[in-house]
Amino acid sequence: MTATQARSTYRTIWISDTHLGNRNAQAQHLLEFLQQHHCETLFLVGDIIDLWKMSERGHWPKSHQAVVNHILTMADNGVRVVYVPGNHDPFFRKLVGHQLGHVEVHLEYVHEMVDGRRLLVVHGDCFDDEIAHSRFLFWLGDHAYETIVHLNRWLNQWRARLGKPYWSLSGFLKVRSKKAQHFVQQFEQRAIAEARDRGLDGIVCGHIHQAKLEEIEGVLYINDGDWLESCSSVVETQDGTLQLVHWATAHQQRVTLPPKVAKKPRPAFSS
């Protein structure tokens, strides 16, 4: 980190779908992001270590270990790290209620923002019918997606040599696929309904690798994206502003939602 790359400090950071152990993981971008963004609480919203891919073919370069080491160092140095496992790292769901060193493991979590709004934090595979009802269809879709992401990695290496900015092939295809858009809309509606049914103000999830920060039907829908292609995260500033950060596209390109008028103060976190 250079002198011109001052660290930004946030109340909360959410990241998910880093898929460490997958050769397409953008570990170097992720490490740079974490080095330049300090926080009080870091949420790891599932699919952090891709145990599925590692069971097929081991891939654990130094850059992936460097990310894990950095997160553990954050936890050791007083950052509250909350791990909410996903469907690619399901083993860690067996450790719910325990700690991995200084890292807490929860199946889901309710985070209270500085302005009093409460957000359900969950990976999101519970809103995915393909996982729930058809393992074969999910496997087929997962392998097709892996092929696209692999092509995306090589394409962007070529673009970088030409001095061109990062560009997501998968994101481009999703926008043009009616089936993909229908799936995303259904996922979002299920997530929003879950938050509303629980009397919460919003939901933070990952899983579908489609970053979004928006108030929909009076409910905050927050998807922090992924670190296979979009390299995105969501942050909460000290005044309660939410920002969706696209890191690789153009460093610190952001979508912002301002805080609500502060409610009566409550404890910082509840579970």
Side-chain angles (χ1 to χ4, degrees):
M1 184 169 58
T2 67
T4 59
Q5 293 174 315
R7 297 176 80 192
S8 301
T9 300
Y10 297 97
R11 186 171 185 265
T12 316
I13 293 177
W14 292 270
I15 61 172
S16 74
D17 299 272
T18 60
H19 290 273
L20 299 174
N22 184 320
R23 65 181 60 255
N24 294 309
Q26 301 279 358
Q28 191 57 46
H29 280 308
L30 177 58
L31 182 61
E32 291 170 0
F33 174 82
L34 291 173
Q35 288 173 336
Q36 295 181 40
H37 292 73
H38 180 70
C39 62
E40 297 171 14
T41 301
L42 173 66
F43 280 100
L44 306 173
V45 195
D47 290 3
I48 301 303
I49 298 176
D50 197 332
L51 298 179
W52 285 16
K53 287 299 170 188
M54 291 187 69
S55 67
E56 295 175 0
R57 186 184 309 166
H59 180 76
W60 196 258
K62 291 181 179 179
S63 59
H64 293 210
Q65 186 62 47
V67 170
V68 172
N69 290 345
H70 186 81
I71 291 172
L72 293 177
T73 298
M74 291 172 68
D76 291 343
N77 289 338
V79 175
R80 189 179 189 205
V81 180
V82 179
Y83 187 9
V84 179
N87 56 297
H88 278 255
D89 47 11
F91 167 79
F92 295 103
R93 286 177 171 167
K94 298 178 181 178
L95 303 178
V96 164
H98 297 82
Q99 291 201 173
L100 297 171
H102 293 111
V103 177
E104 302 172 27
V105 184
H106 295 266
L107 186 62
E108 58 181 42
Y109 200 86
V110 176
H111 168 74
E112 185 160 337
M113 294 175 59
V114 70
D115 60 14
R117 287 179 290 180
R118 296 186 302 151
L119 307 175
L120 175 64
V121 182
V122 62
H123 177 63
D125 53 303
C126 53
F127 308 127
D128 186 344
D129 276 348
E130 288 190 1
I131 289 181
H133 301 300
S134 177
R135 300 291 297 179
F136 174 73
L137 285 177
F138 177 76
W139 177 87
L140 188 63
D142 186 61
H143 278 260
Y145 175 74
E146 279 293 319
T147 300
I148 293 170
V149 171
H150 182 73
L151 290 173
N152 183 78
R153 179 163 60 94
W154 287 106
L155 173 64
N156 277 288
Q157 287 180 4
W158 175 75
R159 287 175 63 85
R161 292 191 186 101
L162 296 177
K164 294 183 179 294
Y166 185 88
W167 180 75
S168 172
L169 172 62
S170 176
F172 174 81
L173 294 175
K174 284 179 186 176
V175 169
R176 282 153 180 78
S177 167
K178 290 183 179 180
K179 184 175 181 181
Q181 286 303 301
H182 178 67
F183 168 78
V184 169
Q185 290 169 6
Q186 283 192 320
F187 179 92
E188 292 177 357
Q189 289 302 316
R190 291 190 182 105
I192 291 167
E194 183 70 17
R196 182 183 292 111
D197 290 347
R198 297 199 192 191
L200 300 173
D201 299 292
I203 187 166
V204 183
C205 55
H207 184 61
I208 59 172
H209 298 197
Q210 189 86 352
K212 191 170 186 176
L213 173 59
E214 188 175 329
E215 186 169 333
I216 302 174
E217 302 171 3
V219 177
L220 280 174
Y221 173 77
I222 304 166
N223 194 303
D224 56 19
D226 70 284
W227 290 83
L228 278 177
E229 42 168 338
S230 66
C231 299
S232 57
S233 176
V234 173
V235 301
E236 177 193 9
T237 67
Q238 296 295 340
D239 70 355
T241 298
L242 291 168
Q243 298 178 337
L244 171 60
V245 183
H246 292 276
W247 187 247
T249 306
H251 281 204
Q252 301 187 51
Q253 178 183 345
R254 298 168 188 263
V255 177
T256 300
L257 277 179
K260 294 286 188 182
V261 176
K263 300 179 182 179
K264 184 179 179 180
R266 300 175 182 173
F269 294 91
S270 61
S271 61

PDB file of all heavy atoms in Angstrom, residues 156-188:
ATOM      1  N   ASN A 156      -9.715 -10.847 -19.216  1.00  0.00           N
ATOM      2  CA  ASN A 156      -9.277  -9.651 -18.518  1.00  0.00           C
ATOM      3  C   ASN A 156      -7.764  -9.575 -18.367  1.00  0.00           C
ATOM      4  O   ASN A 156      -7.216  -8.473 -18.242  1.00  0.00           O
ATOM      5  CB  ASN A 156      -9.983  -9.555 -17.162  1.00  0.00           C
ATOM      6  CG  ASN A 156     -11.357  -8.937 -17.301  1.00  0.00           C
ATOM      7  OD1 ASN A 156     -11.492  -7.739 -17.530  1.00  0.00           O
ATOM      8  ND2 ASN A 156     -12.395  -9.758 -17.209  1.00  0.00           N
ATOM      9  N   GLN A 157      -7.082 -10.696 -18.405  1.00  0.00           N
ATOM     10  CA  GLN A 157      -5.622 -10.651 -18.467  1.00  0.00           C
ATOM     11  C   GLN A 157      -5.178 -10.005 -19.784  1.00  0.00           C
ATOM     12  O   GLN A 157      -4.249  -9.193 -19.820  1.00  0.00           O
ATOM     13  CB  GLN A 157      -5.052 -12.061 -18.334  1.00  0.00           C
ATOM     14  CG  GLN A 157      -5.148 -12.625 -16.927  1.00  0.00           C
ATOM     15  CD  GLN A 157      -4.574 -14.030 -16.823  1.00  0.00           C
ATOM     16  OE1 GLN A 157      -4.036 -14.577 -17.783  1.00  0.00           O
ATOM     17  NE2 GLN A 157      -4.689 -14.634 -15.644  1.00  0.00           N
ATOM     18  N   TRP A 158      -5.868 -10.379 -20.850  1.00  0.00           N
ATOM     19  CA  TRP A 158      -5.580  -9.800 -22.165  1.00  0.00           C
ATOM     20  C   TRP A 158      -5.918  -8.312 -22.200  1.00  0.00           C
ATOM     21  O   TRP A 158      -5.148  -7.491 -22.691  1.00  0.00           O
ATOM     22  CB  TRP A 158      -6.386 -10.563 -23.225  1.00  0.00           C
ATOM     23  CG  TRP A 158      -6.271 -10.002 -24.602  1.00  0.00           C
ATOM     24  CD1 TRP A 158      -5.221 -10.097 -25.459  1.00  0.00           C
ATOM     25  CD2 TRP A 158      -7.283  -9.251 -25.292  1.00  0.00           C
ATOM     26  NE1 TRP A 158      -5.501  -9.452 -26.640  1.00  0.00           N
ATOM     27  CE2 TRP A 158      -6.760  -8.925 -26.561  1.00  0.00           C
ATOM     28  CE3 TRP A 158      -8.577  -8.837 -24.955  1.00  0.00           C
ATOM     29  CZ2 TRP A 158      -7.481  -8.189 -27.495  1.00  0.00           C
ATOM     30  CZ3 TRP A 158      -9.297  -8.109 -25.894  1.00  0.00           C
ATOM     31  CH2 TRP A 158      -8.755  -7.792 -27.143  1.00  0.00           C
ATOM     32  N   ARG A 159      -7.069  -7.933 -21.622  1.00  0.00           N
ATOM     33  CA  ARG A 159      -7.478  -6.535 -21.573  1.00  0.00           C
ATOM     34  C   ARG A 159      -6.482  -5.706 -20.758  1.00  0.00           C
ATOM     35  O   ARG A 159      -6.182  -4.558 -21.118  1.00  0.00           O
ATOM     36  CB  ARG A 159      -8.884  -6.412 -20.982  1.00  0.00           C
ATOM     37  CG  ARG A 159      -9.993  -6.882 -21.902  1.00  0.00           C
ATOM     38  CD  ARG A 159     -11.358  -6.848 -21.209  1.00  0.00           C
ATOM     39  NE  ARG A 159     -11.745  -5.499 -20.842  1.00  0.00           N
ATOM     40  CZ  ARG A 159     -12.354  -4.652 -21.661  1.00  0.00           C
ATOM     41  NH1 ARG A 159     -12.646  -5.016 -22.900  1.00  0.00           N
ATOM     42  NH2 ARG A 159     -12.676  -3.434 -21.249  1.00  0.00           N
ATOM     43  N   ALA A 160      -5.985  -6.287 -19.649  1.00  0.00           N
ATOM     44  CA  ALA A 160      -5.029  -5.557 -18.816  1.00  0.00           C
ATOM     45  C   ALA A 160      -3.753  -5.256 -19.585  1.00  0.00           C
ATOM     46  O   ALA A 160      -3.173  -4.170 -19.462  1.00  0.00           O
ATOM     47  CB  ALA A 160      -4.718  -6.369 -17.556  1.00  0.00           C
ATOM     48  N   ARG A 161      -3.305  -6.217 -20.407  1.00  0.00           N
ATOM     49  CA  ARG A 161      -2.092  -5.988 -21.220  1.00  0.00           C
ATOM     50  C   ARG A 161      -2.291  -4.853 -22.222  1.00  0.00           C
ATOM     51  O   ARG A 161      -1.346  -4.167 -22.596  1.00  0.00           O
ATOM     52  CB  ARG A 161      -1.716  -7.275 -21.958  1.00  0.00           C
ATOM     53  CG  ARG A 161      -1.244  -8.393 -21.050  1.00  0.00           C
ATOM     54  CD  ARG A 161      -0.632  -9.524 -21.852  1.00  0.00           C
ATOM     55  NE  ARG A 161      -0.313 -10.665 -21.012  1.00  0.00           N
ATOM     56  CZ  ARG A 161      -1.052 -11.758 -20.926  1.00  0.00           C
ATOM     57  NH1 ARG A 161      -2.160 -11.866 -21.641  1.00  0.00           N
ATOM     58  NH2 ARG A 161      -0.697 -12.756 -20.139  1.00  0.00           N
ATOM     59  N   LEU A 162      -3.543  -4.674 -22.651  1.00  0.00           N
ATOM     60  CA  LEU A 162      -3.857  -3.609 -23.599  1.00  0.00           C
ATOM     61  C   LEU A 162      -4.210  -2.299 -22.899  1.00  0.00           C
ATOM     62  O   LEU A 162      -4.569  -1.314 -23.566  1.00  0.00           O
ATOM     63  CB  LEU A 162      -5.027  -4.034 -24.498  1.00  0.00           C
ATOM     64  CG  LEU A 162      -4.779  -5.239 -25.414  1.00  0.00           C
ATOM     65  CD1 LEU A 162      -6.042  -5.578 -26.192  1.00  0.00           C
ATOM     66  CD2 LEU A 162      -3.614  -4.962 -26.368  1.00  0.00           C
ATOM     67  N   GLY A 163      -4.130  -2.307 -21.563  1.00  0.00           N
ATOM     68  CA  GLY A 163      -4.445  -1.103 -20.817  1.00  0.00           C
ATOM     69  C   GLY A 163      -5.917  -0.812 -20.703  1.00  0.00           C
ATOM     70  O   GLY A 163      -6.329   0.320 -20.399  1.00  0.00           O
ATOM     71  N   LYS A 164      -6.749  -1.819 -20.912  1.00  0.00           N
ATOM     72  CA  LYS A 164      -8.199  -1.639 -20.841  1.00  0.00           C
ATOM     73  C   LYS A 164      -8.704  -1.996 -19.447  1.00  0.00           C
ATOM     74  O   LYS A 164      -8.118  -2.837 -18.767  1.00  0.00           O
ATOM     75  CB  LYS A 164      -8.897  -2.512 -21.893  1.00  0.00           C
ATOM     76  CG  LYS A 164      -8.601  -2.101 -23.333  1.00  0.00           C
ATOM     77  CD  LYS A 164      -9.369  -2.960 -24.319  1.00  0.00           C
ATOM     78  CE  LYS A 164      -9.095  -2.548 -25.758  1.00  0.00           C
ATOM     79  NZ  LYS A 164      -9.632  -1.195 -26.035  1.00  0.00           N
ATOM     80  N   PRO A 165      -9.813  -1.387 -19.004  1.00  0.00           N
ATOM     81  CA  PRO A 165     -10.325  -1.652 -17.656  1.00  0.00           C
ATOM     82  C   PRO A 165     -10.957  -3.031 -17.541  1.00  0.00           C
ATOM     83  O   PRO A 165     -11.283  -3.676 -18.541  1.00  0.00           O
ATOM     84  CB  PRO A 165     -11.383  -0.542 -17.466  1.00  0.00           C
ATOM     85  CG  PRO A 165     -11.837  -0.221 -18.856  1.00  0.00           C
ATOM     86  CD  PRO A 165     -10.601  -0.359 -19.712  1.00  0.00           C
ATOM     87  N   TYR A 166     -11.143  -3.448 -16.292  1.00  0.00           N
ATOM     88  CA  TYR A 166     -11.778  -4.733 -16.007  1.00  0.00           C
ATOM     89  C   TYR A 166     -13.202  -4.743 -16.552  1.00  0.00           C
ATOM     90  O   TYR A 166     -13.920  -3.741 -16.497  1.00  0.00           O
ATOM     91  CB  TYR A 166     -11.793  -4.962 -14.489  1.00  0.00           C
ATOM     92  CG  TYR A 166     -12.314  -6.318 -14.077  1.00  0.00           C
ATOM     93  CD1 TYR A 166     -11.455  -7.413 -13.983  1.00  0.00           C
ATOM     94  CD2 TYR A 166     -13.658  -6.497 -13.783  1.00  0.00           C
ATOM     95  CE1 TYR A 166     -11.933  -8.651 -13.602  1.00  0.00           C
ATOM     96  CE2 TYR A 166     -14.152  -7.735 -13.405  1.00  0.00           C
ATOM     97  CZ  TYR A 166     -13.278  -8.808 -13.319  1.00  0.00           C
ATOM     98  OH  TYR A 166     -13.762 -10.034 -12.950  1.00  0.00           O
ATOM     99  N   TRP A 167     -13.623  -5.910 -17.061  1.00  0.00           N
ATOM    100  CA  TRP A 167     -14.965  -6.058 -17.640  1.00  0.00           C
ATOM    101  C   TRP A 167     -15.457  -7.471 -17.346  1.00  0.00           C
ATOM    102  O   TRP A 167     -14.709  -8.443 -17.470  1.00  0.00           O
ATOM    103  CB  TRP A 167     -14.903  -5.834 -19.142  1.00  0.00           C
ATOM    104  CG  TRP A 167     -16.227  -5.965 -19.854  1.00  0.00           C
ATOM    105  CD1 TRP A 167     -17.252  -5.071 -19.856  1.00  0.00           C
ATOM    106  CD2 TRP A 167     -16.640  -7.051 -20.702  1.00  0.00           C
ATOM    107  NE1 TRP A 167     -18.284  -5.525 -20.643  1.00  0.00           N
ATOM    108  CE2 TRP A 167     -17.940  -6.743 -21.173  1.00  0.00           C
ATOM    109  CE3 TRP A 167     -16.047  -8.253 -21.094  1.00  0.00           C
ATOM    110  CZ2 TRP A 167     -18.651  -7.592 -22.009  1.00  0.00           C
ATOM    111  CZ3 TRP A 167     -16.749  -9.098 -21.934  1.00  0.00           C
ATOM    112  CH2 TRP A 167     -18.037  -8.755 -22.384  1.00  0.00           C
ATOM    113  N   SER A 168     -16.736  -7.579 -16.923  1.00  0.00           N
ATOM    114  CA  SER A 168     -17.290  -8.875 -16.529  1.00  0.00           C
ATOM    115  C   SER A 168     -18.066  -9.513 -17.669  1.00  0.00           C
ATOM    116  O   SER A 168     -19.128  -9.014 -18.056  1.00  0.00           O
ATOM    117  CB  SER A 168     -18.196  -8.714 -15.302  1.00  0.00           C
ATOM    118  OG  SER A 168     -18.865  -9.926 -15.033  1.00  0.00           O
ATOM    119  N   LEU A 169     -17.555 -10.616 -18.191  1.00  0.00           N
ATOM    120  CA  LEU A 169     -18.245 -11.352 -19.249  1.00  0.00           C
ATOM    121  C   LEU A 169     -19.537 -11.949 -18.719  1.00  0.00           C
ATOM    122  O   LEU A 169     -20.591 -11.874 -19.361  1.00  0.00           O
ATOM    123  CB  LEU A 169     -17.329 -12.465 -19.781  1.00  0.00           C
ATOM    124  CG  LEU A 169     -17.968 -13.462 -20.762  1.00  0.00           C
ATOM    125  CD1 LEU A 169     -18.444 -12.754 -22.027  1.00  0.00           C
ATOM    126  CD2 LEU A 169     -16.975 -14.570 -21.115  1.00  0.00           C
ATOM    127  N   SER A 170     -19.484 -12.535 -17.522  1.00  0.00           N
ATOM    128  CA  SER A 170     -20.681 -13.149 -16.953  1.00  0.00           C
ATOM    129  C   SER A 170     -21.765 -12.102 -16.708  1.00  0.00           C
ATOM    130  O   SER A 170     -22.946 -12.337 -16.974  1.00  0.00           O
ATOM    131  CB  SER A 170     -20.341 -13.863 -15.648  1.00  0.00           C
ATOM    132  OG  SER A 170     -21.500 -14.380 -15.055  1.00  0.00           O
ATOM    133  N   GLY A 171     -21.369 -10.939 -16.190  1.00  0.00           N
ATOM    134  CA  GLY A 171     -22.336  -9.878 -15.963  1.00  0.00           C
ATOM    135  C   GLY A 171     -22.997  -9.433 -17.251  1.00  0.00           C
ATOM    136  O   GLY A 171     -24.208  -9.181 -17.291  1.00  0.00           O
ATOM    137  N   PHE A 172     -22.215  -9.360 -18.308  1.00  0.00           N
ATOM    138  CA  PHE A 172     -22.736  -8.984 -19.627  1.00  0.00           C
ATOM    139  C   PHE A 172     -23.774 -10.001 -20.105  1.00  0.00           C
ATOM    140  O   PHE A 172     -24.844  -9.639 -20.600  1.00  0.00           O
ATOM    141  CB  PHE A 172     -21.567  -8.919 -20.619  1.00  0.00           C
ATOM    142  CG  PHE A 172     -21.977  -8.687 -22.050  1.00  0.00           C
ATOM    143  CD1 PHE A 172     -22.273  -7.416 -22.511  1.00  0.00           C
ATOM    144  CD2 PHE A 172     -22.044  -9.750 -22.935  1.00  0.00           C
ATOM    145  CE1 PHE A 172     -22.647  -7.207 -23.835  1.00  0.00           C
ATOM    146  CE2 PHE A 172     -22.413  -9.563 -24.256  1.00  0.00           C
ATOM    147  CZ  PHE A 172     -22.721  -8.283 -24.706  1.00  0.00           C
ATOM    148  N   LEU A 173     -23.473 -11.291 -19.920  1.00  0.00           N
ATOM    149  CA  LEU A 173     -24.390 -12.343 -20.373  1.00  0.00           C
ATOM    150  C   LEU A 173     -25.657 -12.386 -19.517  1.00  0.00           C
ATOM    151  O   LEU A 173     -26.754 -12.632 -20.033  1.00  0.00           O
ATOM    152  CB  LEU A 173     -23.680 -13.697 -20.338  1.00  0.00           C
ATOM    153  CG  LEU A 173     -22.515 -13.858 -21.316  1.00  0.00           C
ATOM    154  CD1 LEU A 173     -21.809 -15.192 -21.092  1.00  0.00           C
ATOM    155  CD2 LEU A 173     -22.987 -13.747 -22.767  1.00  0.00           C
ATOM    156  N   LYS A 174     -25.513 -12.150 -18.207  1.00  0.00           N
ATOM    157  CA  LYS A 174     -26.685 -12.181 -17.327  1.00  0.00           C
ATOM    158  C   LYS A 174     -27.705 -11.121 -17.710  1.00  0.00           C
ATOM    159  O   LYS A 174     -28.908 -11.365 -17.715  1.00  0.00           O
ATOM    160  CB  LYS A 174     -26.252 -11.958 -15.869  1.00  0.00           C
ATOM    161  CG  LYS A 174     -25.612 -13.159 -15.208  1.00  0.00           C
ATOM    162  CD  LYS A 174     -25.198 -12.799 -13.789  1.00  0.00           C
ATOM    163  CE  LYS A 174     -24.425 -13.928 -13.133  1.00  0.00           C
ATOM    164  NZ  LYS A 174     -23.949 -13.550 -11.784  1.00  0.00           N
ATOM    165  N   VAL A 175     -27.208  -9.939 -18.038  1.00  0.00           N
ATOM    166  CA  VAL A 175     -28.098  -8.839 -18.389  1.00  0.00           C
ATOM    167  C   VAL A 175     -28.911  -9.166 -19.644  1.00  0.00           C
ATOM    168  O   VAL A 175     -30.062  -8.749 -19.786  1.00  0.00           O
ATOM    169  CB  VAL A 175     -27.280  -7.541 -18.596  1.00  0.00           C
ATOM    170  CG1 VAL A 175     -28.141  -6.445 -19.224  1.00  0.00           C
ATOM    171  CG2 VAL A 175     -26.717  -7.063 -17.266  1.00  0.00           C
ATOM    172  N   ARG A 176     -28.329  -9.978 -20.520  1.00  0.00           N
ATOM    173  CA  ARG A 176     -28.978 -10.282 -21.787  1.00  0.00           C
ATOM    174  C   ARG A 176     -29.750 -11.605 -21.768  1.00  0.00           C
ATOM    175  O   ARG A 176     -30.321 -11.997 -22.786  1.00  0.00           O
ATOM    176  CB  ARG A 176     -27.934 -10.285 -22.906  1.00  0.00           C
ATOM    177  CG  ARG A 176     -27.583  -8.865 -23.314  1.00  0.00           C
ATOM    178  CD  ARG A 176     -26.184  -8.755 -23.885  1.00  0.00           C
ATOM    179  NE  ARG A 176     -25.917  -7.370 -24.241  1.00  0.00           N
ATOM    180  CZ  ARG A 176     -25.601  -6.428 -23.347  1.00  0.00           C
ATOM    181  NH1 ARG A 176     -25.518  -6.736 -22.070  1.00  0.00           N
ATOM    182  NH2 ARG A 176     -25.382  -5.178 -23.730  1.00  0.00           N
ATOM    183  N   SER A 177     -29.763 -12.279 -20.651  1.00  0.00           N
ATOM    184  CA  SER A 177     -30.486 -13.545 -20.540  1.00  0.00           C
ATOM    185  C   SER A 177     -31.783 -13.337 -19.767  1.00  0.00           C
ATOM    186  O   SER A 177     -31.754 -13.013 -18.577  1.00  0.00           O
ATOM    187  CB  SER A 177     -29.619 -14.592 -19.832  1.00  0.00           C
ATOM    188  OG  SER A 177     -30.385 -15.709 -19.459  1.00  0.00           O
ATOM    189  N   LYS A 178     -32.927 -13.536 -20.415  1.00  0.00           N
ATOM    190  CA  LYS A 178     -34.215 -13.382 -19.742  1.00  0.00           C
ATOM    191  C   LYS A 178     -34.360 -14.415 -18.622  1.00  0.00           C
ATOM    192  O   LYS A 178     -34.914 -14.115 -17.558  1.00  0.00           O
ATOM    193  CB  LYS A 178     -35.355 -13.528 -20.750  1.00  0.00           C
ATOM    194  CG  LYS A 178     -35.462 -12.363 -21.725  1.00  0.00           C
ATOM    195  CD  LYS A 178     -36.663 -12.530 -22.641  1.00  0.00           C
ATOM    196  CE  LYS A 178     -36.776 -11.341 -23.598  1.00  0.00           C
ATOM    197  NZ  LYS A 178     -37.945 -11.490 -24.514  1.00  0.00           N
ATOM    198  N   LYS A 179     -33.858 -15.618 -18.840  1.00  0.00           N
ATOM    199  CA  LYS A 179     -33.954 -16.661 -17.821  1.00  0.00           C
ATOM    200  C   LYS A 179     -33.139 -16.277 -16.590  1.00  0.00           C
ATOM    201  O   LYS A 179     -33.586 -16.444 -15.449  1.00  0.00           O
ATOM    202  CB  LYS A 179     -33.467 -17.994 -18.375  1.00  0.00           C
ATOM    203  CG  LYS A 179     -33.633 -19.153 -17.396  1.00  0.00           C
ATOM    204  CD  LYS A 179     -33.243 -20.472 -18.025  1.00  0.00           C
ATOM    205  CE  LYS A 179     -33.433 -21.623 -17.039  1.00  0.00           C
ATOM    206  NZ  LYS A 179     -33.039 -22.928 -17.636  1.00  0.00           N
ATOM    207  N   ALA A 180     -31.937 -15.743 -16.820  1.00  0.00           N
ATOM    208  CA  ALA A 180     -31.090 -15.332 -15.703  1.00  0.00           C
ATOM    209  C   ALA A 180     -31.728 -14.185 -14.935  1.00  0.00           C
ATOM    210  O   ALA A 180     -31.728 -14.171 -13.700  1.00  0.00           O
ATOM    211  CB  ALA A 180     -29.708 -14.922 -16.209  1.00  0.00           C
ATOM    212  N   GLN A 181     -32.294 -13.230 -15.648  1.00  0.00           N
ATOM    213  CA  GLN A 181     -32.935 -12.104 -14.990  1.00  0.00           C
ATOM    214  C   GLN A 181     -34.166 -12.528 -14.196  1.00  0.00           C
ATOM    215  O   GLN A 181     -34.436 -12.011 -13.112  1.00  0.00           O
ATOM    216  CB  GLN A 181     -33.311 -11.039 -16.027  1.00  0.00           C
ATOM    217  CG  GLN A 181     -32.124 -10.261 -16.556  1.00  0.00           C
ATOM    218  CD  GLN A 181     -31.335  -9.575 -15.441  1.00  0.00           C
ATOM    219  OE1 GLN A 181     -31.872  -8.756 -14.698  1.00  0.00           O
ATOM    220  NE2 GLN A 181     -30.063  -9.929 -15.309  1.00  0.00           N
ATOM    221  N   HIS A 182     -34.908 -13.503 -14.738  1.00  0.00           N
ATOM    222  CA  HIS A 182     -36.077 -14.023 -14.016  1.00  0.00           C
ATOM    223  C   HIS A 182     -35.640 -14.703 -12.720  1.00  0.00           C
ATOM    224  O   HIS A 182     -36.275 -14.524 -11.672  1.00  0.00           O
ATOM    225  CB  HIS A 182     -36.838 -15.012 -14.905  1.00  0.00           C
ATOM    226  CG  HIS A 182     -38.020 -15.639 -14.233  1.00  0.00           C
ATOM    227  ND1 HIS A 182     -39.154 -14.926 -13.876  1.00  0.00           N
ATOM    228  CD2 HIS A 182     -38.255 -16.922 -13.816  1.00  0.00           C
ATOM    229  CE1 HIS A 182     -40.017 -15.731 -13.292  1.00  0.00           C
ATOM    230  NE2 HIS A 182     -39.499 -16.936 -13.235  1.00  0.00           N
ATOM    231  N   PHE A 183     -34.562 -15.475 -12.792  1.00  0.00           N
ATOM    232  CA  PHE A 183     -34.032 -16.140 -11.595  1.00  0.00           C
ATOM    233  C   PHE A 183     -33.630 -15.113 -10.544  1.00  0.00           C
ATOM    234  O   PHE A 183     -33.955 -15.250  -9.356  1.00  0.00           O
ATOM    235  CB  PHE A 183     -32.840 -17.012 -11.966  1.00  0.00           C
ATOM    236  CG  PHE A 183     -32.065 -17.513 -10.777  1.00  0.00           C
ATOM    237  CD1 PHE A 183     -32.532 -18.578 -10.026  1.00  0.00           C
ATOM    238  CD2 PHE A 183     -30.877 -16.896 -10.403  1.00  0.00           C
ATOM    239  CE1 PHE A 183     -31.829 -19.028  -8.911  1.00  0.00           C
ATOM    240  CE2 PHE A 183     -30.165 -17.338  -9.296  1.00  0.00           C
ATOM    241  CZ  PHE A 183     -30.653 -18.413  -8.560  1.00  0.00           C
ATOM    242  N   VAL A 184     -32.916 -14.059 -10.971  1.00  0.00           N
ATOM    243  CA  VAL A 184     -32.460 -13.031 -10.045  1.00  0.00           C
ATOM    244  C   VAL A 184     -33.649 -12.332  -9.395  1.00  0.00           C
ATOM    245  O   VAL A 184     -33.663 -12.090  -8.179  1.00  0.00           O
ATOM    246  CB  VAL A 184     -31.561 -12.002 -10.772  1.00  0.00           C
ATOM    247  CG1 VAL A 184     -31.293 -10.790  -9.883  1.00  0.00           C
ATOM    248  CG2 VAL A 184     -30.236 -12.654 -11.179  1.00  0.00           C
ATOM    249  N   GLN A 185     -34.665 -12.004 -10.185  1.00  0.00           N
ATOM    250  CA  GLN A 185     -35.854 -11.329  -9.648  1.00  0.00           C
ATOM    251  C   GLN A 185     -36.577 -12.200  -8.629  1.00  0.00           C
ATOM    252  O   GLN A 185     -37.020 -11.708  -7.582  1.00  0.00           O
ATOM    253  CB  GLN A 185     -36.793 -10.945 -10.787  1.00  0.00           C
ATOM    254  CG  GLN A 185     -36.259  -9.827 -11.668  1.00  0.00           C
ATOM    255  CD  GLN A 185     -37.068  -9.640 -12.933  1.00  0.00           C
ATOM    256  OE1 GLN A 185     -38.104 -10.270 -13.133  1.00  0.00           O
ATOM    257  NE2 GLN A 185     -36.587  -8.766 -13.814  1.00  0.00           N
ATOM    258  N   GLN A 186     -36.694 -13.499  -8.920  1.00  0.00           N
ATOM    259  CA  GLN A 186     -37.333 -14.407  -7.962  1.00  0.00           C
ATOM    260  C   GLN A 186     -36.534 -14.489  -6.667  1.00  0.00           C
ATOM    261  O   GLN A 186     -37.097 -14.491  -5.567  1.00  0.00           O
ATOM    262  CB  GLN A 186     -37.472 -15.803  -8.580  1.00  0.00           C
ATOM    263  CG  GLN A 186     -38.605 -15.941  -9.583  1.00  0.00           C
ATOM    264  CD  GLN A 186     -38.855 -17.392  -9.928  1.00  0.00           C
ATOM    265  OE1 GLN A 186     -37.925 -18.179 -10.091  1.00  0.00           O
ATOM    266  NE2 GLN A 186     -40.114 -17.761 -10.047  1.00  0.00           N
ATOM    267  N   PHE A 187     -35.227 -14.572  -6.798  1.00  0.00           N
ATOM    268  CA  PHE A 187     -34.341 -14.626  -5.639  1.00  0.00           C
ATOM    269  C   PHE A 187     -34.522 -13.373  -4.777  1.00  0.00           C
ATOM    270  O   PHE A 187     -34.683 -13.451  -3.550  1.00  0.00           O
ATOM    271  CB  PHE A 187     -32.889 -14.755  -6.106  1.00  0.00           C
ATOM    272  CG  PHE A 187     -31.880 -14.806  -4.988  1.00  0.00           C
ATOM    273  CD1 PHE A 187     -31.471 -16.021  -4.458  1.00  0.00           C
ATOM    274  CD2 PHE A 187     -31.337 -13.632  -4.471  1.00  0.00           C
ATOM    275  CE1 PHE A 187     -30.536 -16.073  -3.427  1.00  0.00           C
ATOM    276  CE2 PHE A 187     -30.404 -13.674  -3.441  1.00  0.00           C
ATOM    277  CZ  PHE A 187     -30.011 -14.893  -2.923  1.00  0.00           C
ATOM    278  N   GLU A 188     -34.502 -12.209  -5.425  1.00  0.00           N
ATOM    279  CA  GLU A 188     -34.652 -10.952  -4.697  1.00  0.00           C
ATOM    280  C   GLU A 188     -35.991 -10.884  -3.977  1.00  0.00           C
ATOM    281  O   GLU A 188     -36.057 -10.451  -2.821  1.00  0.00           O
ATOM    282  CB  GLU A 188     -34.511  -9.771  -5.662  1.00  0.00           C
ATOM    283  CG  GLU A 188     -33.106  -9.600  -6.220  1.00  0.00           C
ATOM    284  CD  GLU A 188     -33.016  -8.474  -7.231  1.00  0.00           C
ATOM    285  OE1 GLU A 188     -34.077  -7.859  -7.551  1.00  0.00           O
ATOM    286  OE2 GLU A 188     -31.903  -8.194  -7.714  1.00  0.00           O
TER     287      GLU A 188
END
